[in-house]
Amino acid sequence: EMFRLLRTNLLFILGDPGQKVINVLSSIGGEGKTFICINLAMSLALLDKKVLIIGLDVRKPKLGEYIGMDNETGITLYLTGNLGKKELIRPSGIHPNLSIITAGPVPPNPGELMAKPSLDILIAECKEKFDYIILDTAPIGIVSDSYALNRFADVNLYIVRADYTPKKNIEDATIL
């Protein structure tokens, strides 16, 4: 029920049908970004919306593991030119309206990959095919990758976990 409430509030904030990219952030690992991405995506898919989750935490990817998919292919291979678009987007196997792009193998240059123009082109093309795109990102308190992804976001969903997230990180998030 809490994901339905989250979905309702996000849909109200997004408002315009052209706004479809939800960037899910947190300050440190273990706060539940991937869990929330998957459940929010399912909540939207149940509304008969086509949803895509893109695993952009390429340093410590969890999306494929949580969904039960291998991480041998994914966004890192696509951005380095080693994977075509047809092999990139895969059905989730959970719901027919939910598709997944896993992170792929951990690259030596994650920050540079997130800045590639080919990612901009991919997101623009996906916005034409999907009703919602959810970005599962790396923690912002540890690496700068997620800052580069703000260029796509129509809304940022900042995740905190009770009795886990340091209060200092929450205070720092208010100045982002």
Side-chain angles (χ1 to χ4, degrees):
E1 195 58 37
M2 292 311 295
F3 284 103
R4 288 187 183 105
L5 179 60
L6 175 60
R7 174 188 70 197
T8 300
N9 286 318
L10 277 173
L11 293 178
F12 176 75
I13 290 169
L14 288 169
D16 182 340
Q19 294 185 315
K20 6 177 115 189
V21 181
I22 302 165
N23 195 17
V24 181
L25 309 153
S26 75
S27 53
I28 57 176
E31 289 173 302
K33 285 182 307 303
T34 303
F35 174 80
I36 287 173
C37 285
I38 294 166
N39 284 284
L40 176 59
M42 271 303 300
S43 168
L44 291 164
L46 290 170
L47 290 179
D48 214 21
K49 301 294 182 184
K50 289 185 68 175
V51 183
L52 173 66
I53 304 174
I54 304 177
L56 291 171
D57 183 352
V58 298
R59 295 172 192 262
K60 289 189 176 182
K62 297 283 185 207
L63 180 62
E65 178 184 330
Y66 287 11
I67 296 283
M69 293 181 154
D70 67 73
N71 210 35
E72 293 173 17
T73 63
I75 196 74
T76 58
L77 291 178
Y78 174 78
L79 293 174
T80 56
N82 295 308
L83 183 70
K85 202 175 304 172
K86 286 184 179 183
E87 299 85 24
L88 182 63
I89 300 172
R90 300 189 279 172
S92 68
I94 298 171
H95 193 281
N97 290 333
L98 179 59
S99 298
I100 306 290
I101 296 177
T102 56
V106 178
N109 58 343
E112 287 75 20
L113 285 181
M114 296 303 108
K116 283 201 167 220
S118 54
L119 183 57
D120 295 67
I121 294 165
L122 175 68
I123 298 283
E125 290 173 356
C126 288
K127 285 175 82 170
E128 293 177 16
K129 295 178 183 175
F130 292 92
D131 296 307
Y132 295 99
I133 300 167
I134 299 175
L135 307 179
D136 183 21
T137 64
I140 61 173
I142 299 173
V143 295
S144 63
D145 303 358
S146 297
Y147 289 110
L149 300 173
N150 274 339
R151 69 189 190 272
F152 305 119
D154 294 311
V155 66
N156 286 309
L157 181 59
Y158 190 82
I159 307 302
V160 297
R161 182 174 165 189
D163 299 323
Y164 188 86
T165 304
K167 288 182 181 165
K168 170 89 172 91
N169 293 12
I170 299 168
E171 292 166 8
D172 291 345
T174 61
I175 59 171
L176 293 178

